[in-house]
Amino acid sequence: MIFKSKYPDLKVPQVGIYQYITSNPNSIPDDKTVYIDGITGKSYTYGEFKHDSKKFAAGLQDKLGFKRGKVTTANPKYQATELSYQLTNSCASVLIVHPQFIEAGIKAAIKAKIPTSKVFLFGDKEIKGYKPYRFTLIGNREIEPVSYNPEEAKITTVYLPFSSGTTGKQKGVELTHTNIIANLEQLINAKCNLGPHSIIMGILPFYHIYSLTCILHGTLIHGATLVILPSFNIETFCESIQKYKINHIYAVPPIILQLVNNPVVQNYDLSSVNLIISGAAPLSDELAKRCFEMFKIPTFQAYGLTETSPVLHYPDTKDLSNAIPGSIGLLVPNVKAKLLSEDGIELGYNEPGELWVHGPNVMKGYLKNKEATDSAFDKDGFFNTGDIATVDEQGNFYIVDRKKELIKYKGFQVAPAELEAILLTHDAISDAAVLGHYSEKEATEIPKAYVTIKSGYKQSQDLAAEIKSFVDKKVTSHKKLRGGVYFVDEIPKSDSGKILRRLLREKVKGNIMA
Ligand code: 4UW
């Protein structure tokens, strides 16, 4: 059967994202604080933000000839090869990089044929001849936004985040103005309970869709204030909550684990927080309940994917008596879902099946990848999430398993295919597969490699360690083979050469040599 959202259908505004954000019904005063740097305390008002972004837009237009088109956000910690892949794939012509990662940025830009004159820095210092974008790309006029008619808003890509989908390497996900606006409207109308009173924690990386939509755009559309921290450290995290009276936290499960387990948390007053929403990876019921017991902070989950802008399910946070720990909540407005058995049969209540969804927040497609786009959708336009879910009679969904290849390390995507391709370039390896294993200790999955080796090589702990370091040097931190490298006799494959991951998982249970 098809499950429909319990909320009334919405009419999604068919405009550009700028017009949508600036039409904020909360009519935010220009002198209200929008961003606070949690470390230095430096703050920006809505007025300054509006003014600066219009001047930046003018700079992009006047100095670089930018036209309407695409923006891709990348993980600042990427190694050069990972970044150049994304730059090339997205046809990027300009790179703005954090000074801390300038070396990888320059190498990647050269590989992707971006001239060094088009590489700029965040911050306000010139380094090795590379100039801060704030001094070079800021125009001396404010430009008015490009306006989009409804048809243009629907088909024009506004963001291009990357995701591996159900299989293979990372792909550019084309999200349109309408996709993002629909998702913000869906979030508002799914009773997310944010507003001008909200002081939101900004700890999750902005290049990832969770943060990009829910936190960055969510702050603006609700007229809220966002406290930004550069990276997670439990003390700074708690100190910022106490100092800025943060009341809304968007988190991932390992952050909640730290809150619950780290004794330093007891030194801080967290009483301003009235809600924690966790997403991007499964949060155990026990952890959510412990967090509530210890701090009296209601802790619930939401769910979605890069390809769905991202929010598909959200708990009723206006009336928490309707929200169920362990559930990802209700379908947001305008979303339909179906759960399919292995044989493609539509299932009913309380029957686990693969979750397919349909809604205005679902991506246009994968950039320059018709094959992957076609296989992500069925003939009725439903998109395959690759997750296994159930739904109860009240409409609460639960994620019970994941069918697709993806591994989530602390909410970050790790595509097994990418690590397998690197493993296969090692001299000793004849075949390889990477699986995710859940670590209770860290409340996250960790990637583990299984390899077969060529004749002439001997299985040993030294070789396993050497292979691990060979891969770890080539990838950003969250993709490291934290689970180690193990030798197996064979990687099980289907006739078409696809790795049979479930079978491998069964086979390696208690039967591996490292
Ligand atoms: N439980 C179990 C969950 C959950 C989950 C995601 O990197 P991506 O493409 O995207 C994200 C999006 C996170 C997100 C979306 C909407 C939302 O409201 C929210 O919290 C406020 C967070 O991570 O990875 C998508 C994949 O991540 C897994 C699942 O496998 C999904 O296909 N995932 N949320 N609550 N698993």
Side-chain angles (χ1 to χ4, degrees):
M1 72 188 272
I2 306 278
F3 303 96
K4 290 206 173 116
S5 171
K6 297 179 107 183
Y7 296 108
D9 269 357
L10 297 171
K11 201 165 162 10
V12 178
Q14 303 281 334
V15 291
I17 193 117
Y18 187 90
Q19 283 113 316
Y20 172 70
I21 298 275
T22 49
S23 69
N24 192 319
N26 295 310
S27 57
I28 310 306
D30 271 356
D31 61 355
K32 172 161 184 169
T33 300
V34 58
Y35 300 130
I36 301 175
D37 178 333
I39 305 292
T40 62
K42 189 169 176 202
S43 65
Y44 294 87
T45 64
Y46 271 84
E48 285 168 328
F49 176 64
K50 248 190 267 174
H51 175 75
D52 285 1
S53 54
K54 282 179 173 177
K55 285 181 75 173
F56 181 34
L60 290 175
Q61 208 175 70
D62 298 348
K63 304 190 179 183
L64 294 173
F66 262 47
K67 298 212 169 63
R68 66 172 71 180
K70 298 159 187 161
V71 174
T72 184
T73 55
N75 183 341
K77 293 185 184 163
Y78 266 170
Q79 301 280 2
T81 319
E82 298 168 294
L83 183 58
S84 74
Y85 170 78
Q86 186 169 336
L87 293 174
T88 309
N89 202 273
S90 60
C91 300
S93 55
V94 174
L95 174 69
I96 306 181
V97 64
H98 192 284
Q100 219 179 318
F101 308 107
I102 182 169
E103 267 165 41
I106 295 167
K107 273 195 207 152
I110 293 170
K111 254 184 124 176
K113 302 199 169 49
I114 297 178
T116 45
S117 61
K118 298 275 178 75
V119 176
F120 301 93
L121 298 175
F122 285 105
D124 44 23
K125 285 199 195 74
E126 179 173 329
I127 302 171
K128 297 183 181 167
Y130 293 94
K131 300 204 166 51
Y133 90 92
R134 291 180 52 203
F135 299 155
T136 25
L137 294 185
I138 299 296
N140 34 27
R141 61 188 180 113
E142 288 187 27
I143 55 165
E144 279 316 307
V146 178
S147 45
Y148 291 84
N149 67 37
E151 204 36 47
E152 289 169 335
K154 228 170 160 176
I155 59 166
T156 308
T157 301
V158 63
Y159 293 123
L160 188 68
F162 273 64
S163 163
S164 59
T166 54
T167 182
K169 285 184 87 170
Q170 296 268 306
K171 296 174 269 290
V173 177
E174 293 205 62
L175 298 176
T176 64
H177 287 260
T178 302
N179 286 152
I180 301 288
I181 294 171
N183 209 226
L184 289 164
E185 283 289 304
Q186 289 166 315
L187 196 57
I188 294 167
N189 289 281
K191 307 191 185 161
C192 75
N193 208 19
L194 289 164
H197 62 279
S198 302
I199 305 174
I200 304 174
M201 169 62 84
I203 184 66
L204 304 176
F206 295 140
Y207 72 85
H208 187 263
I209 195 70
Y210 176 1
S211 205
L212 185 63
T213 300
C214 303
I215 304 182
L216 269 184
H217 290 80
T219 295
L220 297 174
I221 197 65
H222 287 102
T225 297
L226 181 65
V227 179
I228 299 172
L229 292 175
S231 58
F232 183 75
N233 164 291
I234 190 71
E235 286 178 302
T236 333
F237 183 82
C238 294
E239 210 174 287
S240 306
I241 295 174
Q242 179 176 285
K243 185 165 171 194
Y244 302 109
K245 306 247 176 305
I246 289 172
N247 50 26
H248 187 102
I249 298 181
Y250 277 119
V252 289
I255 293 183
I256 300 171
L257 185 77
Q258 282 276 317
L259 278 178
V260 165
N261 282 349
N262 199 320
V264 303
V265 177
Q266 302 301 334
N267 303 337
Y268 298 94
D269 175 8
L270 308 186
S271 62
S272 56
V273 183
N274 50 39
L275 184 64
I276 299 179
I277 293 284
S278 172
L283 173 71
S284 77
D285 214 1
E286 300 85 76
L287 199 51
K289 282 186 181 147
R290 268 188 74 199
C291 189
F292 182 67
E293 278 159 20
M294 288 177 72
F295 308 107
K296 300 286 164 280
I297 306 174
T299 305
F300 291 98
Q301 296 192 78
Y303 163 84
L305 298 85
T306 305
E307 288 84 345
T308 59
S309 301
V311 190
L312 287 169
H313 295 76
Y314 211 82
D316 178 351
T317 56
K318 278 214 169 124
D319 182 358
L320 286 170
S321 63
N322 290 331
I324 300 179
S327 163
I328 50 167
L330 306 166
L331 283 170
V332 297
N334 298 30
V335 173
K336 291 187 287 191
K338 57 187 179 188
L339 297 168
L340 297 188
S341 71
E342 292 274 350
D343 316 324
I345 312 283
E346 280 179 25
L347 301 169
Y349 293 115
N350 304 312
E351 294 180 299
E354 196 166 20
L355 174 65
W356 292 67
V357 293
H358 186 285
N361 52 320
V362 179
M363 66 168 181
K364 185 164 115 185
Y366 293 114
L367 181 73
K368 296 184 284 185
N369 197 333
K370 187 171 174 334
E371 196 188 333
T373 305
D374 288 347
S375 65
F377 291 90
D378 70 7
K379 64 174 181 17
D380 301 318
F382 276 75
F383 167 78
N384 183 10
T385 66
D387 292 307
I388 307 286
T390 61
V391 56
D392 66 20
E393 278 87 352
Q394 286 69 45
N396 300 296
F397 279 72
Y398 299 80
I399 299 297
V400 295
D401 201 357
R402 191 182 301 133
K403 191 170 165 194
K404 60 187 168 189
E405 275 175 20
L406 183 67
I407 299 169
K408 277 293 186 98
Y409 175 73
K410 300 194 172 179
F412 294 106
Q413 288 202 1
V414 181
E418 185 183 342
L419 296 178
E420 285 153 7
I422 299 174
L423 283 162
L424 290 175
T425 64
H426 188 282
D427 286 344
I429 294 178
S430 50
D431 207 354
V434 174
L435 300 181
H437 287 262
Y438 192 75
S439 153
E440 294 280 349
K441 207 169 125 227
E442 291 189 75
T444 182
E445 292 165 56
I446 47 172
K448 240 181 199 187
Y450 299 92
V451 299
T452 60
I453 51 173
K454 293 178 187 161
S455 57
Y457 287 90
K458 253 186 92 182
Q459 297 183 2
S460 70
Q461 300 230 351
D462 281 354
L463 180 58
E466 195 267 311
I467 294 171
K468 178 175 169 354
S469 118
F470 173 81
V471 174
D472 289 355
K473 272 191 221 139
K474 294 185 161 57
V475 293
T476 188
S477 173
H478 70 259
K479 297 183 196 164
K480 289 189 172 153
L481 288 171
R482 288 183 166 76
V485 174
Y486 297 84
F487 299 108
V488 290
D489 296 336
E490 187 197 7
I491 303 291
K493 299 258 176 78
S494 69
D495 291 346
S496 61
K498 228 172 159 246
I499 298 169
L500 297 170
R501 294 176 194 276
R502 270 168 209 271
L503 188 61
L504 176 62
R505 197 179 286 280
E506 283 300 309
K507 277 181 80 165
V508 296
K509 258 190 202 158
N511 185 26
I512 40 178
M513 139 131 205

